[in-house]
Amino acid sequence: MSKGLFITFEGADGCGKTTQIKLLDEYLKSRGYKTLLTREPGAKGLGEKVREILLNYDGEVSPRCESFLFLADRAQNADCIIKPAVKDGVIVLCDRHTDSTIAYQGYGRGVNIEELKKLNDMAVSGLKPDLTFVFDIDIQTSMARVGKEKDRMESAGLEFFERVRKGYLEIAKQEPERVKVIDSTKSIEEIHQKVLEFIENVFG
Ligand code: TYD
């Protein structure tokens, strides 16, 4: 393969996507593919500093300021990590990307979605996932998985996360070719098999 692939993993907190990224990474490596794991917020380097602010700052953060911080981290991840790797033929697996901003800041916090789409475009400058998984789960279950120790984002409340979930399902409806919804109430192995079905389709 000359050009790599860019695959993103999305869903509400506690949906189980991080486990699935690791499983897919192991699978791809076992098949001889070169892979790279990255995440937003918190790509290696500068992104880790931005993540620290986003998840732990305990003063007031306006929804628009929050959006710009996520977008700044995204631009860095796109330019310095994702694009060079894809160009080198690597399969990049990214834990959250543009759809998180639409779901969380747009649907969740009420920031204007059309504006966020433009800002997302500016942040990634031509980068687009080849495939996106949305791990869908009811919010009661996902919040129970998150547990009592919540970071700044996870403390936003059940109604917020209901809006985030709705946002993801709406995004999937609008872009069914790219965005695949997976029922995350199933077992880890069943979910992994579903992921592989979609991956095989992309590889053809
Ligand atoms: P993280 O601990 O990485 O959560 P998870 O393991 O669920 O991915 O924290 C990232 C948090 O940031 C998560 O609550 C989602 C939120 N987020 C946004 O609100 N907007 C964004 O654009 C991104 C990338 C993340």
Coordinates of all heavy atoms in Angstrom, one line a residue, residues 36 44 54 69 93 101 115-116 134 155 168 175 193 198 204:
L36 N -0.2 3.5 13.5 CA 0.2 4.6 14.5 C -1.1 4.9 15.3 O -2.1 5.2 14.7 CB 0.7 5.8 13.7 CG 1.0 7.0 14.7 CD1 2.5 6.9 15.1 CD2 0.8 8.3 14.0
K44 N 0.8 13.4 21.0 CA 2.2 13.4 21.6 C 2.8 14.8 21.4 O 2.7 15.4 20.4 CB 3.1 12.4 20.8 CG 4.1 11.8 21.7 CD 4.6 10.5 21.0 CE 6.0 10.2 21.6 NZ 7.0 10.3 20.6
L54 N -7.6 21.1 29.1 CA -9.0 20.8 28.8 C -9.7 19.9 29.8 O -10.9 20.1 30.1 CB -9.0 20.1 27.4 CG -9.1 21.1 26.2 CD1 -8.7 20.4 24.9 CD2 -10.4 21.7 26.1
L69 N -9.6 25.3 21.9 CA -8.5 24.5 22.5 C -8.5 23.1 21.8 O -7.5 22.6 21.4 CB -8.7 24.4 24.0 CG -8.3 25.7 24.8 CD1 -8.7 25.5 26.2 CD2 -6.8 26.0 24.7
L93 N -4.7 5.3 13.5 CA -5.9 5.1 14.3 C -6.0 6.2 15.3 O -5.1 6.3 16.2 CB -5.9 3.7 15.0 CG -5.5 2.5 14.2 CD1 -5.5 1.2 15.1 CD2 -6.6 2.3 13.1
T101 N -15.9 17.2 18.2 CA -16.2 18.6 18.4 C -17.7 18.9 18.0 O -18.4 19.7 18.7 CB -15.2 19.5 17.5 OG1 -13.9 19.2 17.9 CG2 -15.5 21.0 17.7
E115 N -20.6 26.8 12.1 CA -19.3 27.4 12.4 C -18.3 26.4 12.8 O -17.1 26.5 12.3 CB -19.5 28.5 13.5 CG -20.0 29.8 13.0 CD -20.2 30.8 14.1 OE1 -19.6 30.7 15.2 OE2 -20.9 31.8 13.8
L116 N -18.7 25.5 13.6 CA -17.7 24.4 14.0 C -17.2 23.6 12.9 O -16.0 23.2 12.8 CB -18.3 23.5 15.1 CG -18.5 24.1 16.5 CD1 -19.2 23.0 17.4 CD2 -17.2 24.4 17.1
V134 N -18.5 4.9 15.3 CA -19.1 5.5 16.4 C -19.6 4.4 17.3 O -20.4 3.5 16.9 CB -20.3 6.4 16.0 CG1 -21.2 6.7 17.2 CG2 -19.9 7.7 15.3
S155 N -17.9 15.4 33.8 CA -18.8 15.9 34.9 C -20.0 16.7 34.3 O -20.7 17.4 35.1 CB -18.0 16.8 35.8 OG -16.9 16.2 36.3
Y168 N -24.0 12.3 17.6 CA -23.2 11.3 16.9 C -24.1 10.5 15.9 O -23.7 10.2 14.8 CB -22.6 10.2 17.9 CG -21.2 10.7 18.4 CD1 -21.0 10.7 19.7 CD2 -20.2 11.0 17.5 CE1 -19.7 11.1 20.2 CE2 -18.9 11.4 18.0 CZ -18.7 11.4 19.4 OH -17.5 11.8 19.8
E175 N -23.6 11.1 7.1 CA -22.5 10.6 6.3 C -22.3 9.1 6.5 O -21.4 8.6 7.0 CB -21.2 11.2 6.8 CG -21.0 12.7 6.4 CD -19.6 13.2 6.8 OE1 -18.6 12.9 6.1 OE2 -19.6 13.9 7.8
Q193 N -15.3 -8.0 16.2 CA -15.7 -8.7 14.9 C -16.4 -7.7 14.0 O -16.2 -7.7 12.8 CB -16.5 -9.9 15.2 CG -15.7 -11.1 15.8 CD -14.5 -11.4 15.0 OE1 -14.4 -11.4 13.8 NE2 -13.4 -11.7 15.8
F198 N -16.1 -4.1 8.9 CA -16.0 -2.8 8.2 C -14.6 -2.6 7.6 O -14.5 -2.1 6.5 CB -16.4 -1.7 9.1 CG -17.9 -1.6 9.4 CD1 -18.4 -1.7 10.7 CD2 -18.8 -1.4 8.4 CE1 -19.7 -1.7 11.0 CE2 -20.2 -1.3 8.6 CZ -20.6 -1.5 9.9
G204 N -11.2 -3.9 0.8 CA -11.7 -4.5 -0.4 C -11.3 -6.0 -0.5 O -10.6 -6.5 -1.3

